[in-house]
Amino acid sequence: MRGNFSYHNPTKLYFGEDALGYLKDEMGSYGKTVLLNYGSGSVKRNGIYDEVVKILKEAGKTIVENPGVMSNPTLEKLREGIKIARENKVDFIVSLGGGSVCDYSKGVAASVYYEGDCWELFWVKQRQPEAGQKIIPIGCILTMAGTGSEMNGGSVITDAATSMKLGHVFDERLMPKFAILNPRYTMTVPMEQMKAGIYDIMNHIMEQYFSDFDDNTSDYIAEGLMRSLIVSSRVAVKNPQDYEARSNIMWTATWALNTLIGCGKSEDWMVHMIGHSVGAWTHAPHGYCLAAVSMAYYKRAMKPGQAKFARFAKNVWGIDGEGKSEETLAAEGMEALKAWMTEIGLPLKISEIGGTAEMVEGITKTTVIYPAGYLDLKVDDIRAIIKESM
Ligand code: NZQ
Ligand code: ZN
């Protein structure tokens, strides 16, 4: 392991079927007025909203509601939330939903006490809030497994006017103070979103794993997480009500992107950059956008990263390397990945998720590009990957 790093994760987790029981005690540490952010209604249909509101009331809180946080939250909706938070002088934000609501809540929390253009400063210029700027603390009650947003500083926002979907990793001041993870809540997630979440988790691990060649403990942890995810995903697609599988998936999602397995790694994230751009144009679930561009991307990364891809084949997919060249083994690993994606029903092409040939140029132009992982791609390479993925 050669990299230098610091590691500190301040988010306190409560995991399991009793996790919500800790909300009232946690809320005791914060002020009276709570902004409750949630999505388009799933939490009302499955009853989680009622449970949360009851506890917040018992804790003596005044609740300010902000419903309608959409999947892949927009800048317009973010500005609306900032306005509501300012007008009501909120002391704390409860994020009730999936990664979109949690990402959105961080955006609001960072921007309420910043008077300039938050989009420009945080997402375009990739800056952090000034030292000393007031930030509203957040708590996350997670209803969908995938992003890892519950234990990281990531916040992805889409400017619908320009089709720019940009992610920003805020520093630890914006990480949730606590996250409540009850796998039972994920049982009502539609099958399509569950599968999208599963591939999002897999790809988060791959984005960190497929970089560098040194022997790094982080990669061994990554391999274990991938193996657990593969096992549980196969169970969950057959029986989404399998608690054991759903809880393993939820726990894996958190560890896949809470910075631990990125320790000492240079990391990649270009599948995410291309996938975000595909998402801004197609509005398809995030994990599906990643799945649709993965084959064309990894085909290119496989040559310069051959040794690592061969290791992926052996240690993640259990492929016997006896008598095989590194090249053959690496290719077999990618085939195993593709077979698993097909088996659990993930899209392999952008056209399967609403993309059209007319979008190629637009998706290319809105992709953020940098040297990453084993590749140093240029605009023409991105265009070729998108065309090949259509
Ligand atoms: O709107 P609601 O009613 O909440 O419905 C949601 C939404 O339609 C539904 N859902 C969530 N929990 C449910 C449920 N439906 C029934 N029962 C439940 N228990 O599922 C749909 C998708 O939810 P969403 O929050 O959008 O999904 P996800 O958690 O995948 O979040 C996606 C967003 O996170 C960003 C993505 O780009 C995307 O904008 N990401 C954030 C990251 C981070 N913070 O580190 C990293 C990721 O790579 C990703 O980019
Ligand atoms: Zn992701």
Side-chain angles (χ1 to χ4, degrees):
M1 186 160 178
R2 297 177 192 279
N4 296 288
F5 59 87
S6 66
Y7 179 75
H8 176 224
N9 195 313
T11 303
K12 183 170 182 180
L13 295 179
Y14 294 100
F15 192 95
E17 294 195 78
D18 301 332
L20 193 63
Y22 296 92
L23 178 63
K24 192 172 170 190
D25 280 356
E26 278 293 338
M27 293 309 295
S29 316
Y30 305 100
K32 194 170 167 55
T33 309
V34 173
L35 179 67
L36 178 60
N37 290 332
Y38 58 97
S40 60
S42 63
V43 291
K44 288 205 165 165
R45 289 190 294 278
N46 58 24
I48 305 170
Y49 168 90
D50 289 338
E51 284 182 57
V52 169
V53 165
K54 185 167 171 271
I55 293 170
L56 292 177
K57 284 189 178 155
E58 282 169 9
K61 304 296 172 183
T62 303
I63 304 168
V64 178
E65 298 225 3
N66 181 23
V69 179
M70 64 289 281
S71 202
N72 308 314
T74 63
L75 179 57
E76 198 185 356
K77 180 68 186 170
L78 177 67
R79 296 201 198 284
E80 198 184 300
I82 296 167
K83 190 162 171 275
I84 297 171
R86 280 181 184 153
E87 283 169 1
N88 291 279
K89 297 192 172 50
V90 304
D91 301 303
F92 191 80
I93 299 176
V94 170
S95 164
L96 177 57
S100 290
V101 183
C102 194
D103 281 17
Y104 173 88
S105 297
K106 293 171 195 167
V108 173
S111 307
V112 170
Y113 291 96
Y114 173 64
E115 284 175 9
D117 181 351
C118 61
W119 173 253
E120 189 61 25
L121 188 75
F122 302 136
W123 286 274
V124 177
K125 292 191 179 145
Q126 295 284 316
R127 299 251 301 274
Q128 299 297 341
E130 289 283 325
Q133 187 209 294
K134 192 169 166 190
I135 284 162
I136 302 174
I138 312 166
C140 168
I141 302 165
L142 194 69
T143 63
M144 144 137 197
T147 63
S149 187
E150 65 275 14
M151 204 181 184
N152 70 36
S155 172
V156 184
I157 300 293
T158 301
D159 180 6
T162 58
S163 292
M164 283 303 289
K165 183 176 186 182
L166 298 179
H168 177 55
V169 182
F170 284 107
D171 63 38
E172 64 182 59
R173 290 173 291 167
L174 269 307
M175 288 188 186
K177 299 293 172 206
F178 62 86
I180 290 174
L181 311 181
N182 180 347
R184 194 66 68 193
Y185 293 167
T186 68
M187 300 285 190
T188 54
V189 171
M191 176 63 92
E192 183 189 55
Q193 292 291 348
M194 181 189 80
K195 290 192 222 170
I198 288 170
Y199 192 73
D200 192 24
I201 301 165
M202 186 70 176
N203 197 253
H204 290 160
I205 306 171
M206 291 167 71
E207 295 274 30
Q208 295 163 91
Y209 182 76
F210 287 119
S211 62
D212 315 313
F213 291 104
D214 58 335
D215 187 40
N216 184 334
T217 302
S218 299
D219 288 333
Y220 292 83
I221 303 172
E223 286 164 353
L225 291 173
M226 285 190 270
R227 281 164 45 198
S228 168
L229 181 67
I230 293 161
V231 170
S232 296
S233 65
R234 285 179 165 142
V235 176
V237 291
K238 285 203 189 93
N239 178 15
Q241 300 307 309
D242 189 303
Y243 182 84
E244 196 171 76
R246 298 304 289 268
S247 67
N248 281 327
I249 291 170
M250 195 173 210
W251 191 221
T252 305
T254 303
W255 287 99
L257 196 50
N258 69 358
T259 72
L260 179 82
I261 62 165
C263 286
K265 301 284 303 180
S266 59
E267 310 185 21
D268 186 329
W269 298 104
M270 271 313 296
V271 169
H272 267 69
M273 294 303 107
I274 307 168
H276 280 169
S277 187
V278 171
W281 287 83
T282 62
H283 308 292
H286 168 65
Y288 276 12
C289 299
L290 306 174
V293 301
S294 283
M295 284 302 137
Y297 182 81
Y298 289 118
K299 195 174 97 182
R300 286 162 173 79
M302 205 161 66
K303 270 211 167 116
Q306 192 168 279
K308 197 59 175 288
F309 282 82
R311 175 175 163 171
F312 176 69
K314 274 201 284 194
N315 295 357
V316 177
W317 298 102
I319 297 171
D320 185 2
E322 189 64 35
K324 289 175 191 161
S325 68
E326 201 174 71
E327 190 181 359
T328 304
L329 202 48
E332 286 184 11
M334 273 299 112
E335 279 309 311
L337 172 71
K338 191 175 171 185
W340 169 74
M341 290 169 76
T342 309
E343 177 191 336
I344 66 166
L346 289 165
L348 294 171
K349 293 284 175 190
I350 304 173
S351 53
E352 293 175 53
I353 54 170
T356 59
E358 292 73 50
M359 292 179 187
V360 170
E361 218 35 55
I363 297 172
T364 305
K365 284 207 179 107
T366 52
T367 298
V368 176
I369 314 172
Y370 50 81
Y374 300 117
L375 294 168
D376 183 3
L377 299 176
K378 306 292 177 235
V379 180
D380 286 345
D381 303 309
I382 298 293
R383 188 180 293 105
I385 288 171
I386 294 162
K387 273 191 179 165
E388 205 174 303
S389 304
M390 272 297 169

